[in-house]
């Protein structure tokens, strides 16, 4: 059977950034305004005062220092605390299409390929800015690809689920080369008025090119040794936004139509599931954790990543073994583990083994074991 190879990756990083201090300043101004506005009710006990946020808490609890975003101004306006991303006319590329094309071009360049070599596009991310036509079909047209495209959403595991679909397509012969693209605009579904989570997300887009091995020069890219997916239903990370259930017009005042989570429960329940999935997946291809040179883990929380790596390896992982991009990017949903891979793989040598592993809402876990060619 033809084997699949990851031959290139790309990353689009929005130029605008928000430091923790700036985010907290805007949030705390909102809190002050709110508490002033409802001072009488708060004094009578009819309403709770809102509590301020703190940059020190954010960095300690999550490892996040800043995030890249599509729009700074709307997020930092205490009256709004929500990005301003204007609608575009139908004859202009969508925001997600623009991000996707930028990341895809880098992946193609890295692989030394052009759009003419690609015959499928999977856009895999947590939120699509419209249901149809599929964002992936728009990206396919923008890149000039002849073939097929479809969208996939499995929250933070979208990219690894998309990767398995791409690997299957290549190995089964329905495509020669597949782009898996994750345009994550997490700032659009984050509730910047929620103290527990207002700091969690950032925006970015990744792209991965998966090709038939006979089309990739020896020594280039990564063999895909196996993929494993796992899902188990949970309400602990949820977003009720949908076409039957839209919330208010501004989209800023309906908390359950945005990201909500029980972060502590997620931490406790998901960490052991992820470690067990990585270990059993490695065992299924006759590998041991000690064979791994690198783990490119989903980037949601630094402490969680350290715990998972420790459970897998039986000891603390070094920063080289489990690289972290949370400080610069925050949680970029399904793009996170792919950003870590994109930025931290060039030092690996032929034969080095690694695992890309995502986890998140669903719950969902996706594991991809790869070997440097
Ligand atoms: N600023 C200051 N203090 C804050 C705060 C903020 N923004 N948000 C919460 N706190 C306070 C809490 O009120 C609490 O105070 P208390 O002890 O007096 O009650 C304290 O900080 C600890 O809060 P807690 O929620 O227990 O923090 P935590 O260490 O669990 O960290 C998360 C919170 C969300 C960062 C963490 O649980 C997490 O990342 N979980 C995993 C999430 C995940 O992977 N999600 C997947 C999403 S795709």
């Amino acid at each position: 059977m033809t084997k699949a190879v990851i031959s290139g990756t790309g990353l689009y990083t929005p130029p605008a950034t928000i430091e923790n201090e700036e985010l907290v300043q805007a949030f705390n101004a909102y809190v002050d305004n709110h508490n002033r506005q409802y001072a009488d009710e708060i004094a009578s006990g009819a309403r709770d005062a809102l509590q301020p946020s703190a940059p020190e808490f954010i960095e300690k609890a999550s490892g996040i220092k800043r995030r890249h975003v599509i729009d700074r101004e709307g997020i930092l306006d205490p009256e709004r605390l929500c990005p301003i991303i204007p609608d575009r006319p139908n004859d202009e590329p969508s925001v997600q299409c623009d991000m996707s094309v930028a990341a895809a071009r880098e992946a193609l360049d890295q692989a030394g390929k052009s759009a003419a070599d690609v015959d499928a596009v999977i856009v895999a991310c947590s939120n699509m800015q419209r249901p149809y036509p599929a964002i992936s079909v728009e990206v396919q047209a923008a890149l000039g690809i002849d073939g097929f495209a479809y969208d996939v959403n499995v929250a933070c595991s979208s990219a690894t689920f998309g990767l398995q679909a791409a690997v299957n397509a290549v190995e089964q012969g329905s495509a020669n080369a597949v782009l898996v693209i994750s345009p994550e605009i997490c700032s659009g579904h984050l509730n910047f008025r929620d103290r527990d989570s207002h700091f969690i997300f950032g925006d970015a887009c990744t792209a991965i090119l998966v090709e038939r091995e006979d089309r990739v020069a020896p020594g280039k890219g990564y063999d895909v040794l196996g993929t494993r997916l796992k899902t188990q239903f949970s309400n602990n990370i949820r977003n009720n936004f949908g076409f039957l259930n839209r919330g208010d017009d501004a989209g800023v005042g309906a908390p359950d139509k945005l990201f909500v989570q029980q972060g502590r429960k997620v931490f406790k329940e998901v960490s052991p599931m992820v470690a067990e999935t990585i270990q059993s997946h490695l065992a299924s291809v006759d590998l041991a954790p000690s064979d791994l040179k690198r783990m490119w883990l989903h980037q949601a929380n630094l402490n969680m990543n350290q715990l998972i790596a420790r459970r897998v390896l039986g000891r603390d992982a070094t920063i080289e073994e489990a690289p972290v991009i949370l400080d610069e990017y925050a949680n970029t949903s399904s793009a996170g583990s792919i950003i870590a891979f994109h930025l931290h793989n060039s030092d690996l040598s032929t034969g080095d083994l690694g695992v890309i592993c995502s986890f998140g809402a669903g719950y969902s876990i996706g594991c991809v074991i790869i070997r440097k060619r």
Side-chain angles (χ1 to χ4, degrees):
M1 184 177 63
T2 306
K3 297 299 288 176
V5 168
I6 293 177
S7 56
T9 55
L11 169 64
Y12 169 75
T13 302
T17 57
I18 298 180
E19 303 292 324
N20 285 345
E21 290 72 15
E22 300 174 283
L23 190 73
V24 165
Q25 200 179 4
F27 178 86
N28 288 351
Y30 156 74
V31 166
D32 288 344
N33 292 343
H34 174 278
N35 290 349
R36 207 174 304 118
Q37 182 182 354
Y38 296 107
D40 292 343
E41 287 176 50
I42 291 168
S44 73
R47 186 187 278 267
D48 287 335
L50 295 181
Q51 300 301 313
S53 182
E56 304 74 32
F57 168 83
I58 294 172
E59 194 173 337
K60 186 160 174 292
S62 68
I64 296 164
K65 294 182 181 167
R66 67 188 65 83
R67 68 283 296 140
H68 289 257
V69 291
I70 300 285
D71 172 65
R72 254 174 69 87
E73 279 64 37
I75 294 170
L76 293 180
D77 175 357
E79 301 293 327
R80 183 178 168 88
L81 296 187
C82 174
I84 302 166
I85 305 176
D87 282 346
R88 294 180 179 183
N90 289 356
D91 58 1
E92 280 182 23
S94 64
V95 183
Q96 284 185 310
C97 179
D98 275 348
M99 299 167 82
S100 297
V101 166
R105 287 201 197 289
E106 188 184 357
L108 289 170
D109 282 352
Q110 199 185 83
K113 296 290 161 68
S114 74
D117 298 305
V118 181
D119 42 20
V121 178
I122 300 173
V123 165
C125 65
S126 279
N127 285 273
M128 309 293 167
Q129 66 181 95
R130 63 165 188 268
Y132 50 83
I135 305 289
S136 53
V137 180
E138 186 187 6
V139 174
Q140 176 196 353
L143 289 167
I145 288 169
D146 184 20
F148 66 92
Y150 59 91
D151 292 351
V152 164
N153 173 2
V154 203
C156 291
S157 288
S158 299
T160 49
F161 277 58
L163 255 176
Q164 174 167 294
V167 167
N168 288 348
V170 166
E171 292 186 347
Q172 300 303 319
S174 61
N176 291 316
V178 185
L179 275 166
V180 181
I181 310 175
S182 300
E184 293 286 9
I185 308 180
C186 300
S187 60
H189 59 96
L190 177 55
N191 184 353
F192 288 97
R193 297 173 183 218
D194 174 34
R195 176 176 179 255
D196 286 349
S197 64
H198 76 111
F199 53 88
I200 285 182
F201 287 116
D203 302 331
C205 178
T206 52
I208 312 161
L209 185 64
V210 178
E211 295 191 77
R212 290 168 58 106
E213 64 177 342
D214 58 3
R215 291 180 153 222
V216 183
K220 210 169 162 39
Y222 287 81
D223 292 319
V224 178
L225 302 189
T227 59
R228 174 168 295 187
L229 310 182
K230 165 115 184 124
T231 48
Q232 180 181 302
F233 185 67
S234 167
N235 274 324
N236 288 334
I237 315 169
R238 191 164 172 125
N239 181 339
N240 282 330
F241 185 80
F243 79 101
L244 293 179
N245 195 358
R246 289 173 297 174
D248 70 359
D249 286 342
V252 294
D256 79 320
K257 308 300 182 292
L258 295 165
F259 169 89
V260 285
Q261 74 165 354
Q262 304 289 328
R264 273 276 153 117
K265 285 189 184 160
V266 173
F267 195 114
K268 277 200 190 124
E269 291 174 10
V270 172
S271 305
M273 279 171 65
V274 173
E276 196 281 323
T277 304
I278 294 174
Q279 283 172 327
S280 62
H281 188 204
L282 286 169
S284 73
V285 292
D286 294 328
L287 293 172
S290 55
D291 294 324
L292 288 178
K293 183 87 177 178
R294 196 144 298 170
M295 282 184 278
W296 299 280
L297 296 175
H298 174 51
Q299 306 279 319
N301 178 293
L302 177 60
N303 304 320
M304 197 171 177
N305 282 21
Q306 288 170 342
L307 175 65
I308 290 167
R310 193 180 310 132
R311 274 179 177 253
V312 171
L313 298 177
R315 59 170 171 81
D316 286 340
T318 64
I319 193 71
E320 288 76 28
E321 288 172 318
V324 173
I325 54 101
L326 272 166
D327 49 347
E328 179 67 25
Y329 283 88
N331 180 346
T332 51
S333 193
S334 72
S337 57
I338 310 301
I339 298 175
F341 174 59
H342 174 78
L343 295 178
H344 298 281
N345 77 76
S346 59
D347 59 315
L348 295 196
S349 309
T350 300
D352 281 347
L353 291 158
V355 62
I356 300 172
C357 183
S358 67
F359 42 89
Y363 297 136
S364 57
I365 301 173
C367 243
V368 182
I369 300 173
I370 58 177
R371 182 178 55 209
K372 178 86 179 105
R373 282 155 54 92

